[in-house]
Every structure is written in C-alpha cells, then in structure tokens.
Amino acid sequence: MLNKYARAFFTRVLTPFAAFLLRRGVSPDAVTLIGTAGVVAGALVFFPRGDFFWGTITITLFVFSDLVDGNMARQAGVSSRWGAFLDSTLDRVADAAIFGGLALWYAGGGHDNVLCAVAIFCLASGQVVSYTKARGESIGLPVAVNGMVERAERLVITLVAAGLSGLQIFGVPGWIGVLLPVALWVVAVGSLVTLVQRVVTVRRESAEADAAEGSRTAGDSRTAGDGGAGDGSRTAENGAHTAGDGAA
C-alpha cells in the first residue's frame, strides 16, 4: 500500500531535484550507487553501535535515491532493463545492510540473541518475498498480489521505530526503546504472511495457466484430428469417383 501511494507522492516532490541533477550531468546509475553506499554506511556504521537516531537519519537521507534515480531515468528518456536490474539488486543490498546492522547490535552490545534472530529472519524473509514476485513474473505469471508487508512497509516501520528508539540520547525516557523490538516482530510476522500470500497466489496462477495451456493443446489436437479425418474422407471419395470414371 505504501509502495503504491507514498511512492507517487514522493516522486512528485522529488521531480525538481531529479531535474536539477540531470542538468548537472549526474546519471541515474550514479545516484543508485551513491544512494546504496550511503544506506549501507549508515546501517553498518551506526546500528551495530546502538546509535539508532543518527543511523536512521543517514539512511533516510540516502534511501530516497531509490525514487530519484527512476525519476531521472524517465525525465531523460533513458529507462532501461539494466537500470531496473541495478536498482532492484542494490535495493536488496541496502535492505540486507539495515537488518544486518540491527542483528549485529543485538548479537553484541544489545545482548539479545532472540532479537538478533528476529532481525536475521527479517533480512532473509524480505529477500525471499522479493524473489517470489520476481521469479513468478519471470515464468510469465502476473503475481497479482501485493501482500501485507512489502519493502516500503518494512523500511518505514523499522526506520521509524529505530529513529524513535534512538531519541534516548536526547533524554527521552528509556521505555521508548521498546519500539524497535516491537517493530522487528511486526515486520517478521508481516513478511511471513506476505510470503505465504505470494506463494499461494503463484500456485493458483500457475495451475490456472497450466489448465489453460492444456485446454489449448487439446483444442489444437481435435482440430488436427478433424482436419485429418476430413482429408481422408475426401481422398476416399475422389478415389471412388476416379474408379467410376475408369469403368465407364
């Protein structure tokens, strides 16, 4: 849902900035690479130390590159398969860095192996959720389902909770730190539900596609059989006429 509505809103807001970068000669691919590098740095430098506020600020500044590069490509008329591939691939890298950084914190200074495992599950399930849609589409299926928690929801829920938890450095009461663990559990459960939704959808769509293909094949076979029988009858009839003409 967020991916549908929030992306459209921020695309309009960031259009002037995208146009500015194009005038400066910056390429969409460069924005993609720089944005991913910034997200990875923010996640792996700040999160493992428990510095969630500044980590979230850094990540948020760079995560919008995911909207800017596509906007630039459309404005410049240079949208390509390579650009789409690079963008999707580096999105997976950025997501892995965010949840990997949180897992490192809970495995170290956070002293919570359960939340470390939950963060790792969020990392893995997010990758698989994206893969199921990409793989389904690659075999010709529409995968007509979004699911409960897509990438936009995963990032917003996790980063908002991490940023708020980080406010403890400014004297905010410590209870606010519970928001991040809650967010990780919500993302984990939501990702699992989304994964199930997509697998079920692909199973249904593949069965429907196979059934439709089987019907078409059977129809083609019947057409070929009818045509063969007709030709055989016509051949026999012609032979009979020929024999009759010879006898006369």
Side-chain angles (χ1 to χ4, degrees):
M1 185 178 295
L2 284 176
N3 194 48
K4 179 179 179 180
Y5 298 105
R7 178 176 287 270
F9 170 76
F10 283 110
T11 295
R12 290 194 298 270
V13 171
L14 295 171
T15 293
F17 181 60
F20 169 78
L21 292 178
L22 286 172
R23 290 194 299 270
R24 293 291 180 179
V26 180
S27 71
D29 286 354
V31 172
T32 303
L33 292 168
I34 293 171
T36 302
V39 171
V40 170
L44 297 183
V45 170
F46 292 101
F47 280 0
R49 300 185 304 180
D51 197 347
F52 298 130
F53 179 79
W54 292 114
T56 300
I57 294 297
T58 303
I59 292 169
T60 302
L61 290 175
F62 285 99
V63 81
F64 283 106
S65 65
D66 188 45
L67 301 177
V68 174
D69 54 6
N71 196 315
M72 292 172 65
R74 286 189 293 271
Q75 289 190 47
V78 294
S79 297
S80 65
R81 291 182 177 86
W82 162 250
F85 169 81
L86 181 66
D87 187 58
S88 295
T89 301
L90 294 184
D91 281 349
R92 307 288 84 75
V93 173
D95 293 356
I98 291 171
F99 290 104
L102 293 173
L104 288 173
W105 160 250
Y106 286 115
H111 302 296
D112 194 322
N113 290 336
V114 173
L115 286 176
C116 174
V118 173
I120 293 173
F121 180 84
C122 290
L123 189 163
S125 59
Q127 308 293 316
V128 178
V129 164
S130 298
Y131 175 80
T132 53
K133 187 173 182 65
R135 184 66 180 119
E137 292 174 343
S138 73
I139 58 177
L141 301 176
V143 194
V145 62
N146 291 323
M148 179 182 293
V149 176
E150 296 184 284
R151 182 173 189 257
E153 285 84 3
R154 290 196 301 272
L155 290 181
V156 169
I157 293 171
T158 303
L159 293 178
V160 168
L164 291 175
S165 296
L167 290 176
Q168 295 178 74
I169 63 174
F170 299 109
V172 175
W175 62 263
I176 201 169
V178 75
L179 293 178
L180 182 54
V182 170
L184 288 175
W185 278 107
V186 169
V187 170
V189 173
S191 296
L192 179 60
V193 172
T194 302
L195 176 59
V196 172
Q197 288 176 309
R198 291 191 174 180
V199 169
V200 170
T201 298
V202 169
R203 178 71 182 88
R204 174 178 53 79
E205 291 177 349
S206 63
E208 292 172 353
D210 290 343
E213 183 177 350
S215 299
R216 286 195 300 270
T217 301
D220 293 341
S221 299
R222 285 194 297 272
T223 301
D226 293 343
D231 291 343
S233 299
R234 284 193 294 272
T235 301
E237 182 180 352
N238 291 335
H241 288 315
T242 301
D245 292 341

